[in-house]
Amino acid sequence: MNTPTPVLVLAPMRGITTMHYRQAFVRHFRGLDIEMAPFIPTVSAERINPKLLKDVLPENNSGLPLIPQVIGNKADDFVQMSMALHDLGYDEVNWNMGCPHKPIRKKRRGSGLLPYPDTVDAILDQVCARSPLRISVKVRLGVSDKSELLKLIPVLNNYPLSEVIVHPRTAEQMYDGTVDLDAFEEAYAALELPVCYNGDINTPGFHQALKDRFPQINRFMLGRGLLANPFLCEQIKGGTSHLCKYDNPIGRIQDFHNDLVSQYEGVLHGDHPVLGKMKEFWTYQAMHLSNGRNMFKKLKKTQHLATYKNIVAEFLAEADWNA
């Protein structure tokens, strides 16, 4: 029996996987199937500020299917945002119940909702009845107690959610330590809805280990691993970790980088905001460069875009790709 090709989804990473990043990524790399946009906060207002929707305007999309994500804890605001997204042509929205950052969760948004199944139930009851869009959710195991998701699952199972994306860490872990695959297995067994796995897919080998352990799962969300190694989707789908060895990896990364810099120069004013975006880019992208650590040290001190570009060109001219 042929194994189905995995569906690979770009994780929403606020401030990083912007429309500019998504557009440039798709121009230079293959294998990604779906993108999820970083979360849009729901608002209590008669009219939604158009700036909130700019990142998901259809004319700004990469060409791949895009799923907008919202974060909030009021059903009316969620429904209002769903209607605005429906007017843009979307048919699905994802509810962020996984954001681990403390200021978010202290307001009972993102992962801060996980310990409150009655609140989630009341919101889903209204949203699923009134939203014109299909609803999926993105969750973690809990805030500090990984049993919180297990207590929430009976609520989730009561609704026709299109998907539950599970990152098997607690919010307090942030991205530290390792994912808890035993806890994920317990949650997966309890869920009666389609499941997408998210967390620490940094290599084709780890993806294959997930497929071996959970053969029924065919949707995988890639975040930090894909930002560090933009060839990862190609490697997973090509079935070999050396695919890009014959595909001019440094040249493609340089083209990707130059494309992204050019986009940010066109929309941001002055060197400082562009450098801020690109330094964040290299916190991931430098990981697999043979001289990436030394390059990043120099880049962090750079205050001028021209100097920055010279450093990048100099280091990439001598770099090897190790992924």
Side-chain angles (χ1 to χ4, degrees):
M1 186 174 71
N2 290 332
T3 303
T5 303
V7 176
L8 303 180
V9 185
L10 176 67
M13 300 184 69
R14 193 159 174 81
I16 301 175
T17 59
T18 63
M19 64 184 187
H20 306 292
Y21 184 96
R22 300 192 304 265
Q23 290 166 5
F25 186 94
V26 170
R27 281 194 285 267
H28 298 280
F29 301 100
R30 301 181 294 272
L32 192 63
D33 298 294
I34 299 169
E35 298 166 328
M36 186 169 286
F39 69 70
I40 303 167
T42 60
V43 290
S44 298
E46 288 185 14
R47 181 174 173 271
I48 293 171
N49 189 327
K51 288 183 180 178
L52 287 175
L53 301 173
K54 185 176 180 181
D55 191 67
V56 297
L57 291 177
E59 61 264 32
N60 293 332
N61 290 352
S62 71
L64 290 181
L66 181 73
I67 300 171
Q69 183 184 75
V70 300
I71 194 166
N73 57 15
K74 294 180 180 177
D76 287 346
D77 300 345
F78 193 144
V79 171
Q80 182 190 36
M81 188 64 75
S82 294
M83 289 177 173
L85 293 167
H86 181 262
D87 289 344
L88 294 178
Y90 291 102
D91 59 11
E92 180 175 349
V93 64
N94 179 263
W95 186 17
N96 182 323
M97 288 197 291
C99 180
H101 295 287
K102 206 168 197 177
I104 296 282
R105 69 177 195 248
K106 282 177 74 175
K107 295 178 181 177
R108 291 198 187 181
R109 302 197 308 167
S111 62
L113 281 164
L114 295 173
Y116 302 101
D118 289 346
T119 302
V120 173
D121 192 12
I123 294 170
L124 284 176
D125 182 61
Q126 288 292 309
V127 170
C128 289
R130 296 164 54 200
S131 170
L133 303 180
R134 291 180 294 126
I135 311 295
S136 62
V137 298
K138 189 173 187 295
V139 297
R140 285 189 172 226
L141 298 176
V143 174
S144 58
D145 177 0
K146 63 185 180 184
S147 72
E148 287 168 354
L149 176 58
L150 292 176
K151 294 171 185 172
L152 179 63
I153 283 174
V155 170
L156 301 182
N157 283 340
N158 279 337
Y159 293 96
L161 303 176
S162 59
E163 183 171 67
V164 179
I165 303 163
V166 181
H167 182 125
R169 279 187 175 90
T170 63
E172 288 193 349
Q173 282 182 275
M174 294 291 288
Y175 298 96
D176 294 334
T178 57
V179 289
D180 188 337
L181 294 183
D182 291 337
F184 175 82
E185 184 168 17
E186 195 173 1
Y188 176 54
L191 279 162
E192 299 167 4
L193 297 157
V195 173
C196 173
Y197 175 89
N198 170 228
D200 286 9
I201 303 178
N202 299 324
T203 64
F206 185 70
H207 172 265
Q208 186 58 51
L210 289 171
K211 285 292 293 176
D212 292 343
R213 182 165 177 175
F214 307 106
Q216 300 306 312
I217 293 179
N218 200 47
R219 288 172 69 91
F220 301 89
M221 179 169 275
L222 281 60
R224 295 169 301 146
L226 185 59
L227 299 190
N229 175 16
F231 302 99
L232 186 57
C233 294
E234 296 175 31
Q235 293 172 342
I236 288 171
K237 291 189 174 179
T240 171
S241 62
H242 65 262
L243 173 69
C244 62
K245 224 179 256 188
Y246 308 101
D247 205 9
N248 187 20
I250 297 297
R252 287 174 66 190
I253 287 168
Q254 187 157 27
D255 289 345
F256 174 43
H257 165 268
N258 293 347
D259 188 349
L260 192 54
V261 170
S262 177
Q263 286 210 63
Y264 281 133
E265 283 183 287
V267 296
L268 301 175
H269 302 293
D271 287 12
H272 184 71
V274 178
L275 286 171
K277 286 290 187 187
M278 297 315 301
K279 288 176 184 179
E280 192 166 31
F281 169 86
W282 286 113
T283 60
Y284 298 97
Q285 194 67 83
M287 290 181 185
H288 296 297
L289 291 175
S290 56
N291 54 8
R293 180 176 293 183
N294 291 335
M295 181 182 77
F296 191 57
K297 282 182 182 177
K298 289 193 76 170
L299 290 179
K300 283 197 291 186
K301 301 173 185 175
T302 306
Q303 300 297 318
H304 300 288
L305 198 52
T307 307
Y308 163 88
K309 290 179 180 178
N310 288 335
I311 292 170
V312 171
E314 174 190 339
F315 274 83
L316 287 184
E318 300 174 354
D320 292 317
W321 183 250
N322 302 315

